């Protein structure tokens, strides 16, 4: 007999999911204002990620997590961050200057596929990446139908 997952999520998961959805909605608004502000995309990315990095470091320190990495892990984190947290946002901001918001949202949705591929490149676990790619493609198809 197959084991089925619990269909009703616990309240903490629902709260965390709702918080992420709400915060993600505000990031699109912030992105819209950054694109239309006349600030260079390279500077806008700094404005966006420096406060996040400080908040994440404070949370890690308050939870007792070590922020020390060996040189190999630091290189991997740098490369991953370079592609996922800077280059893709800079390119997105430049593209958003020339496209309407709905098309920008669809284009940016493709970044999850790049993130999944980078995860496979660094972790080498295809079983973890397949569901991400499948679900992100499904979400992109949904966005295309909504915007069509």
């Amino acid at each position: 007999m197959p084991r089925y997952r619990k269909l009703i999520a616990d309240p903490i998961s629902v709260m965390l999911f709702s918080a992420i959805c709400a915060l993600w909605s505000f990031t699109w608004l912030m992105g819209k204002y950054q694109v239309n502000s006349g600030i260079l995309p390279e500077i806008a990315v700094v404005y966006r990620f420096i406060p996040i990095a400080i908040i994440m470091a404070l949370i890690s320190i308050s939870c007792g997590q070590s922020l020390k990495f060996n040189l190999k892990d630091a290189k991997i984190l740098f490369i991953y961050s370079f592609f996922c947290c800077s280059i893709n946002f800079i390119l997105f901001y430049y593209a958003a200057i020339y496209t309407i918001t709905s098309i920008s949202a669809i284009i940016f949705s493709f970044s999850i596929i790049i993130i999944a591929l980078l995860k496979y490149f660094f972790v080498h676990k295809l079983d973890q990446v397949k569901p991400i790619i499948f679900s992100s493609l499904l979400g992109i198809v949904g966005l295309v139908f909504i915007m069509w």
Side-chain angles (χ1 to χ4, degrees):
M1 175 175 233
R3 292 173 46 182
Y4 294 99
R5 292 184 181 174
K6 194 170 143 181
L7 294 178
I8 300 174
D10 63 297
I12 299 293
S13 296
V14 171
M15 181 188 72
L16 290 173
F17 178 77
S18 300
I20 289 170
C21 288
L23 291 172
W24 187 251
S25 299
F26 288 115
T27 63
W28 283 109
L29 185 61
M30 186 173 76
K32 176 185 173 189
Y33 290 134
Q34 284 179 336
V35 167
N36 296 327
S37 69
I39 297 173
L40 288 173
E42 294 84 357
I43 304 299
V45 168
V46 171
Y47 288 157
R48 187 176 186 126
F49 285 105
I50 291 294
I52 292 169
I54 292 169
I55 290 168
M56 288 176 61
L58 291 173
I59 290 171
S60 296
I61 292 168
S62 67
C63 292
Q65 301 262 334
S66 174
L67 295 177
K68 295 179 184 177
F69 301 102
N70 61 34
L71 187 58
K72 181 184 174 189
D73 290 341
K75 286 179 185 178
I76 290 172
L77 287 171
F78 176 79
I79 292 168
Y80 190 78
S81 299
F82 180 75
F83 286 109
C84 291
C85 299
S86 60
I87 291 297
N88 71 334
F89 274 90
I90 290 169
L91 294 175
F92 172 73
Y93 284 155
Y94 276 116
I97 293 170
Y98 303 104
T99 60
I100 58 175
T101 306
S102 58
I103 298 299
S104 298
I106 292 170
I107 292 168
F108 196 70
S109 298
F110 281 102
S111 69
I112 191 70
I113 295 172
I114 302 299
I115 291 169
L117 293 174
L118 284 171
K119 181 178 181 178
Y120 173 71
F121 178 75
F122 290 117
V123 181
H124 303 294
K125 293 185 179 178
L126 189 59
D127 60 325
Q128 292 180 1
V129 176
K130 279 183 183 179
I132 296 170
I133 292 176
F134 175 74
S135 60
S136 60
L137 287 173
L138 190 62
I140 289 168
V141 168
L143 279 173
V144 169
F145 280 120
I146 288 171
M147 300 301 170
W148 196 337

